[in-house]
């Protein structure tokens, strides 16, 4: 098992009352070509979060397809608190795939939440496809 515990501070230079901090812990395990992980992210009550705390529970899986550069990905999360959305607590999820060639990884994912359209008329939680390109050196 792999355990990752830490904290993060979000600093927005020039912003007023938007900086925040949170604590996290993740527990993961590799089983053959699969990597699974569960995590908890907690942001204590802060002025810029409306004096409300936030809890995010998450799990994800990555499964490499043997003898190919392709990895399938999936995640699901539950959020309650300052970032929960207009309808109260929310679920979010994603399904995707990544392909790696040398230091580059190209990814595509479909992401969505359980927030109904009527509860979010501004569609801040609209489902969509996310493309990514990363490089590691």
């Amino acid at each position: 098992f792999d355990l990752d515990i830490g904290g993060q501070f979000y600093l927005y230079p020039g912003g007023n009352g938007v900086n925040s901090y949170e604590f996290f812990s993740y527990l993961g395990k590799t089983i053959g070509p699969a990597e699974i992980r569960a995590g908890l992210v907690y942001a204590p009550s802060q002025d810029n979060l409306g004096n409300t705390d936030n809890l995010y529970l998450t799990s994800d899986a990555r499964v490499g397809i043997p003898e190919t550069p392709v990895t399938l990905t999936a995640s699901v999360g539950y959020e309650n608190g300052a970032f929960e959305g207009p309808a109260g607590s929310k679920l979010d999820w994603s399904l995707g795939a990544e392909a790696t060639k040398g230091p580059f990884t190209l990814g595509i994912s479909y992401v969505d939440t359980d927030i109904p359209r009527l509860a979010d008329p501004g569609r801040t939680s609209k489902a969509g496809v996310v493309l990514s390109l990363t490089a590691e050196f």
Side-chain angles (χ1 to χ4, degrees):
F1 287 95
D2 294 316
L3 179 62
D4 187 10
I5 298 174
Q8 300 179 122
F9 180 74
Y10 298 92
L11 174 65
Y12 301 95
N16 185 14
V18 293
N19 301 330
S20 65
Y21 61 93
E22 64 187 18
F23 304 99
F24 62 83
S25 65
Y26 293 96
L27 181 63
K29 176 90 173 143
T30 300
I31 304 169
E35 299 173 20
I36 56 173
R37 183 176 77 150
L40 178 145
V41 182
Y42 178 72
S45 176
Q46 302 163 55
D47 288 343
N48 57 331
L49 300 183
N51 293 313
T52 303
D53 63 352
N54 194 74
L55 177 66
Y56 185 65
L57 304 172
T58 182
S59 62
D60 56 73
R62 300 171 52 79
V63 180
I65 299 175
E67 300 182 32
T68 73
V70 177
T71 299
L72 303 177
T73 63
S75 70
V76 63
Y78 169 81
E79 192 152 35
N80 192 323
F83 301 127
E84 66 189 14
S89 62
K90 72 172 181 193
L91 288 172
D92 61 72
W93 60 86
S94 70
L95 293 172
E98 298 173 342
T100 301
K101 177 78 172 168
F104 300 102
T105 300
L106 178 64
I108 185 168
S109 293
Y110 176 78
V111 297
D112 200 359
T113 74
D114 70 340
I115 297 175
R117 178 177 292 225
L118 293 177
D120 186 16
R123 299 297 289 150
T124 59
S125 62
K126 188 174 180 180
V129 175
V130 176
L131 296 172
S132 63
L133 177 62
T134 59
E136 292 186 27
F137 298 97

